[in-house]
Structure formats: C-alpha cells, structure tokens
Amino acid sequence: MIEFNKKITLKLAKLSRLSLSNSQLENLEKDLTSILSFIDQLKEINTDSIDPTSNSLDQNLILRDDLAEDVLSNEKLLQNVPESELGFFVVPKVIE
Amino acid sequence: MNSEWQTVIGIEIHAQINSKSKLFSSSSTEFGSAPNTQVSLVDAAMPGMLPVINKFCIEQAVKSGIGLNAKINKKSIFDRKNYFYQDLPQGYQISQFKDPIVGSGSIEIEIDGTKKAIGIERLHLEQDAGKSLHDQDPNLTFVDLNRSGIALMEIVSDPDMASPEEAVAYVKKVRSILRYLDTCDGNMEQGSLRADINVSVRKKGESLGTRCELKNLNSFKHITSAINFEVARQIKIIENGEEIKQETRLYDVSSDTTKSMRSKEDAHDYRYFPDPDLLPLNLDEKWIEKIKNELPELPDEKKDRFITQYKISNYDAEVLTSDRQTSEYFEEVISNRNPKLVVSWVASELFAALNKENLSIENSPVNSKQLGELIDEIEKGTISNRAAKEVFEEMCVSKKSVQEIINDKGLIQISDTSEIEKFINQVLVDNPINVEKYKNGKTKLLGFFIGEVMKVTKGKANPGLLNQIVKKKLDN
C-alpha cells in the first residue's frame, strides 16, 4: 500500500492546482491513507480469472453520426470569461 | 557520420481524421474559421457536459488500422490523460492508454529498391488540444479552442528506423496509406499530419541509448534536418564522456538546431485512468469484416499491379502510386494508350508544370481527359512529340482545346509522303555539294538533310517518314 506522506500529498495538490494550508495537508494525508487502506481490502479477492472492468454499466458505448452542427456563438462562449480579446480567451502568458 | 555509431528512430504520427464534426461533440472541424466559433459546451468543458463519440471516427480508425496491416481490437477503452495547460479546458485529454482500438501491425518502406518492414506498435484515438498564441502580447497568451476536441489518430511505430531517409520514407508511406483510405487528408502545412520523432544513438552491438523526443515536425525537410542535428548532438555528448538527458526537444528552423523544451518536473505525471463518462468500445466482428471488404486498393498493391499490367518500371510505378490522386489521374489517361508515352507525359511534363506552379494534381490546369486527347494526337501522328510540348504549354495557360491549339499554332505534322518528298527534293537540289559528299561515303550528312527539311517545314515534317524518305532518295 502507498504510504501517504507530505511529499506525495503536496505533489498531488500541485498537480491538481490546489493550494492547501499545512493543517489541510495533514488532514488530507490522513484521509487519503484511510481511503487507500479501505480500498486495499479489494486485494484480498482473487481476480485472476476476471477481465479488468473499466465501467460498471453493462452497456455498449453510444455512438453518434458525423454531423456538424452550429454550436455556440463566439459571444455566448466568451460571455463569462474574465478576459477576452479579438474572439480569443486571454490568459496570463504560459510558455512551456 | 562516424560508422561505429547507429541511430535508432521511432515515430509517433498524429493524423487528424477527416470527419465533419469532432470526436466527442458536433462542432465543425473546418480549418481556418474565425477563432472560437467552432466550440461547443463539451469542447469548452462546461460542467455537466458529456462526450458522445463520433461513429465515423471509429470507422476511420479501424480502416486505418487495417491499412497498416494491424490487429483491430474488438474491445478498447478511453482514458483520461491528465495535465494542466491553458488550451486544454477539461484538464485532461480523452485518449486511449492500455487498450487502444488498433494493436500491432507493420508496413513496408522502400529505399533505392531495398525494402524494409517497419513495425507499428499501436494506433489509438484521442482528442486534439486548442491552440495557444504567445506572440500577440508580451504578457498574455491568446487561446483558440476551434481545434479542441478534433479527432486524432496517434500512430506509434516500433523503433525500427536507422536513418533520416528511413524516417522520411516511413512518414511518407503512412501518409500515403491514410490518403488512399481517405481517413486523413495528410496536409502537413495545416497540421493535419505531424510527427514526433524519438531519436537515440548507440555503438554497434550495445543496448539502446537514452532517447530524446523531437516534437511536432510538420515537413519532410524538417524531419531530416532535425534528426541529423540531433544525432550529431547526441554523439558529441557521449564522446565527451557525458550522458544524454531524456527530454523533449523542439526543432528550430531558423538556426537548424534542436532546443530543449523547458518543462516542469512533474509535467509528465499523466495519471491515466478510464474515463467514467465513456463506456468501453466494443466492435462487431461483422462490421470490421465489412470495412475490410470495402477497403480500396492500397499503394503497395497498386504499385505491383501497375508494374504487371502496364509493364512500367519499379521506379515509375513508385512515383505514380505514392499519391492516390496521381495514380487515379494516370489510370484515367492511360485507358488504351501507350503506357510509356503516358508515363513520360504524366511523370515528366505534367509533374514539371505542376511543380513550377506549386500545384497539386487535383488542381492541375490540364485534366486527364485533355492530356489523353493530346497524347492521342501524338499517337495518331498528327503532331510530333516536340510540337506536343508546345501545345501542352499552351494548355496550361489557356482554356482552348487541343485541336484549337494545334490549328491556331499550325502544328499539324506533315505525314503526307508526297508532300514530304517535295520538300526533300527541294533541299537536295539546293545542296548539290553535300549530296555529292554523301554519295561518296559521308553518310553522317543524313542529319544535315533532315535538319534542312525540318527548317523549311518549321519542324512539322513527320520525323519517322522524313528519315525514311531522305535515306531512300540519297541511297538510290
């Protein structure tokens, strides 16, 4: 079982873009550890002869035909954005 | 390159499926529209929106998989690939990780007549991201989500290539197959097909070296230059006793070098997991069979057929079949005509004219029917091959018919024996000294007489007949 420590919890928070206080981090660490140990009980079941399940619904994927439709207007799409210009979303500069 | 070194290359091709709508939404995929006008609530990742997959895209992926001689997986799963970037509104890309729609396959490349098989590891479906513009403002990034959610096929090769030539031949072959199947338009300039190239070097007999990924190459020229630079860079590092760092690099056209893309340490922790919004995709065996049976003739088969059916060379067959439109044009022209003549007109004259104007064969100023008519006139002997070139040049710039041009330019070949004889007699009378010399054994002068007749007929005398008659008259 993965032992949650501060480093892993911090990394997860960072990947999730969450800014957490020290006490929140500590609580989360405890919660995640207990969640994992709960889930770990599943390991007791022998699943050798069972195909991995990716979805619990016993249905087929629903398909749609390839039809292009008019969707949102540019004005409507950008209606709630904090900043836009020339029809673009505008965000602080990010260059990877 | 120092021959004790070997280059190992593997390629990931991103090919945009030529669907009308996106992979999981009904927004249009039209290229070049105003920014953010083809973005649905799904593409913008508004809360509560659910993806619904495009059936046509699945069909195109299966078709492409069959074209790559690959295994079609009857069950495949869509996963979320999580990363944070401003042109990825969902915060994850829907892709396929452990269970792709297409498994391993293999295609053949050919360089200077030598064939080599290149393994395909897999083909999977995924969403494209939006586009970021970093040059509009010094402190801001502009984002356009029109491309967000468009269906891509990622085709991953095995690390089977050993040179830039093989890498280019492989990308060309995949592109050709997809274009034959009409699953991707292969337009590299517009980014419909782009390649990420993994390059490593090793000394002969050693295990694989650390690789670097050269991202987003969209021309054959860039692929060649980027690999050449990267191989030299890696060898130099190793020879200096240092180690290669595994990283992603970008090819910079202006300096013809590759540069490290600065990326954060944890940028590649994608935390894949099955997308709970999408059920597994189960394909029906009968449906796969149906697609298989409807597959068009592919480049390799067509090339082999051209060689046997038209008795043309391996080289000509390769040139004429690497592009589907070219092969179709060729076959439209050929019908009952002389293959040699048609090959030379399509592969030399037509290609030269298209290259000069930078046109694709679909936009050729001379269509296959017109070129066929021109070739008919050569075969009938109405015009000489040389005159035909003049007619062809005119056809490229005017709308006139072959007949009109021949008449307007007075290019009809003189094939009437008695008329040709008249011209010859005149030339013989005018050049008694040369006639004498010829009769005394200087038979090389034959060319002189032919040239003179051509001069007076402005090149219109049928060269075959002319040759025959002049010879007959002089030898008498």
Side-chain angles (χ1 to χ4, degrees):
Chain A
M1 194 184 91
I2 302 171
E3 274 295 327
F4 269 91
N5 53 33
K6 196 170 179 186
K7 204 178 144 208
I8 298 177
T9 319
L10 257 178
K11 187 186 172 191
L12 280 178
K14 201 176 154 200
L15 285 169
S16 314
R17 260 66 193 174
L18 292 173
S19 157
L20 301 170
S21 69
N22 269 337
S23 65
Q24 281 174 315
L25 276 173
E26 268 168 38
N27 284 334
L28 196 64
E29 203 179 308
K30 270 186 230 151
D31 287 350
L32 287 171
T33 305
S34 92
I35 289 169
L36 267 196
S37 74
F38 175 71
I39 298 286
D40 253 19
Q41 292 180 63
L42 289 172
K43 285 188 180 162
E44 291 165 19
I45 308 164
N46 184 335
T47 55
D48 290 351
S49 58
I50 298 170
D51 281 340
T53 308
S54 61
N55 198 300
S56 55
L57 293 175
D58 187 22
Q59 282 176 9
N60 269 329
L61 186 63
I62 291 165
L63 316 178
R64 53 163 241 282
D65 287 333
D66 183 31
L67 299 169
E69 286 163 10
D70 277 338
V71 287
L72 285 180
S73 69
N74 182 268
E75 294 71 33
K76 196 135 192 185
L77 177 72
L78 299 173
Q79 189 175 295
N80 296 326
V81 307
E83 206 177 329
S84 68
E85 212 176 306
L86 307 164
F88 290 93
F89 293 88
V90 173
V91 297
K93 185 153 233 152
V94 213
I95 290 192
E96 209 185 320
Chain B
M1 192 177 85
N2 192 327
S3 62
E4 63 180 322
W5 290 97
Q6 284 181 333
T7 305
V8 179
I9 301 168
I11 300 181
E12 290 162 25
I13 290 176
H14 285 94
Q16 185 182 322
I17 295 178
N18 61 356
S19 57
K20 294 189 193 77
S21 64
K22 295 183 181 178
L23 183 55
F24 294 110
S25 83
S26 305
S27 329
S28 165
T29 56
E30 186 93 22
F31 181 81
S33 308
N36 294 308
T37 52
Q38 291 162 189
V39 186
S40 72
L41 293 169
V42 175
D43 310 320
M46 289 295 172
M49 295 301 116
L50 285 174
V52 184
I53 199 162
N54 185 333
K55 187 181 174 187
F56 179 74
C57 295
I58 298 171
E59 196 178 325
Q60 297 294 72
V62 170
K63 233 191 233 179
S64 304
I66 299 170
L68 299 169
N69 308 304
K71 179 174 175 281
I72 307 302
N73 291 326
K74 270 179 259 165
K75 180 178 178 180
S76 68
I77 289 165
F78 289 94
D79 297 284
R80 293 186 178 179
K81 177 182 180 178
N82 299 279
Y83 66 93
F84 180 85
Y85 204 55
Q86 77 280 348
D87 55 24
L88 187 78
Q90 288 170 146
Y92 58 84
Q93 175 194 34
I94 304 179
S95 179
Q96 298 189 295
F97 188 49
K98 270 204 290 237
D99 300 281
I101 185 164
V102 176
S104 68
S106 163
I107 62 167
E108 211 168 56
I109 58 168
E110 188 176 322
I111 293 172
D112 300 330
T114 309
K115 289 179 177 169
K116 180 174 178 180
I118 306 292
I120 304 284
E121 186 194 311
R122 60 189 278 156
L123 175 156
H124 67 252
L125 280 166
E126 64 182 26
Q127 299 175 299
D128 206 347
K131 201 166 90 185
S132 296
L133 306 176
H134 302 293
D135 53 2
Q136 304 289 305
D137 185 293
N139 305 310
L140 301 169
T141 293
F142 284 38
V143 181
D144 173 13
L145 295 182
N146 281 349
R147 216 176 57 189
S148 163
I150 285 183
L152 300 179
M153 298 180 279
E154 179 172 329
I155 301 164
V156 184
S157 83
D158 289 329
D160 285 349
M161 288 147 279
S163 67
E165 293 74 29
E166 289 184 9
V168 167
Y170 168 77
V171 178
K172 279 191 175 165
K173 193 57 173 281
V174 171
R175 180 174 179 268
S176 166
I177 292 170
L178 300 182
R179 280 171 54 86
Y180 264 73
L181 294 167
D182 202 16
T183 56
C184 167
D185 68 22
N187 189 327
M188 297 179 82
E189 264 169 47
Q190 292 182 1
S192 305
L193 191 136
R194 41 196 202 263
D196 297 343
I197 316 252
N198 286 294
V199 180
S200 66
V201 297
R202 64 171 165 194
K203 287 211 170 149
K204 268 183 190 151
E206 285 183 0
S207 55
L208 285 176
T210 306
R211 64 191 158 89
C212 290
E213 184 180 14
L214 311 173
K215 222 144 173 86
N216 266 333
L217 293 158
N218 67 349
S219 85
F220 299 123
K221 203 175 144 228
H222 294 173
I223 291 173
T224 306
S225 310
I227 295 174
N228 280 331
F229 177 84
E230 186 58 21
V231 168
R233 186 188 74 90
Q234 292 186 10
I235 291 175
K236 203 170 148 199
I237 290 175
I238 299 171
E239 285 184 339
N240 284 342
E242 292 161 53
E243 280 187 2
I244 308 286
K245 204 172 95 210
Q246 182 167 348
E247 61 183 353
T248 303
R249 300 179 67 86
L250 276 183
Y251 174 67
D252 180 63
V253 184
S254 57
S255 63
D256 189 22
T257 58
T258 66
K259 287 176 180 160
S260 179
M261 268 172 88
R262 273 175 299 128
S263 63
K264 292 182 197 96
E265 235 176 280
D266 52 13
H268 292 293
D269 193 343
Y270 293 132
R271 294 150 293 146
Y272 282 98
F273 65 90
D275 189 327
D277 288 342
L278 292 157
L279 291 153
L281 171 63
N282 294 305
L283 300 178
D284 183 41
E285 181 70 51
K286 274 191 205 138
W287 188 63
I288 299 173
E289 274 306 309
K290 188 171 164 265
I291 295 177
K292 214 176 254 179
N293 294 334
E294 287 168 359
L295 227 58
E297 187 179 36
L298 289 169
D300 286 348
E301 302 165 52
K302 190 169 265 186
K303 185 180 153 188
D304 291 343
R305 179 169 64 78
F306 275 20
I307 293 171
T308 35
Q309 187 175 343
Y310 303 123
K311 313 264 180 298
I312 62 177
S313 71
N314 183 57
Y315 176 82
D316 287 335
E318 174 78 30
V319 168
L320 292 166
T321 55
S322 65
D323 175 70
R324 179 178 177 170
Q325 277 69 26
T326 304
S327 71
E328 285 170 358
Y329 187 104
F330 172 75
E331 288 214 284
E332 283 159 19
V333 179
I334 201 153
S335 61
N336 291 321
R337 302 184 177 102
N338 174 351
K340 272 216 176 91
L341 203 53
V342 177
V343 169
S344 110
W345 275 91
V346 174
S348 311
E349 302 302 324
L350 179 71
F351 279 10
L354 295 175
N355 280 341
K356 204 172 123 203
E357 299 296 323
N358 200 14
L359 289 171
S360 64
I361 202 152
E362 294 103 300
N363 302 317
S364 170
V366 178
N367 66 33
S368 56
K369 191 167 163 276
Q370 294 167 313
L371 186 61
E373 285 165 7
L374 177 64
I375 292 172
D376 283 344
E377 298 305 330
I378 305 170
E379 286 197 279
K380 274 192 278 177
T382 324
I383 50 172
S384 67
N385 209 33
R386 194 173 1 132
K389 286 182 187 174
E390 204 180 325
V391 177
F392 181 74
E393 265 173 41
E394 181 69 26
M395 288 164 78
C396 288
V397 292
S398 85
K399 290 225 155 34
K400 285 190 215 159
S401 74
V402 174
Q403 289 301 339
E404 279 175 310
I405 298 171
I406 293 174
N407 290 336
D408 289 0
K409 292 194 174 266
L411 291 171
I412 296 179
Q413 186 163 265
I414 305 164
S415 296
D416 177 344
T417 319
S418 62
E419 205 174 331
I420 294 180
E421 264 178 23
K422 256 195 278 168
F423 286 113
I424 296 174
N425 289 340
Q426 191 57 50
V427 167
L428 297 185
V429 169
D430 291 347
N431 297 280
I433 299 170
N434 279 337
V435 173
E436 203 49 43
K437 281 185 184 165
Y438 182 93
K439 298 211 167 181
N440 290 332
K442 212 173 168 195
T443 50
K444 267 195 221 152
L445 280 169
L446 183 69
F448 163 79
F449 295 109
I450 290 170
E452 286 302 298
V453 177
M454 279 300 189
K455 234 188 260 171
V456 290
T457 59
K458 291 185 184 117
K460 286 187 286 185
N462 181 320
L465 281 177
L466 173 60
N467 201 309
Q468 245 175 44
I469 303 169
V470 172
K471 241 180 140 207
K472 206 170 81 192
K473 283 198 178 280
L474 286 169
D475 291 343
N476 265 338

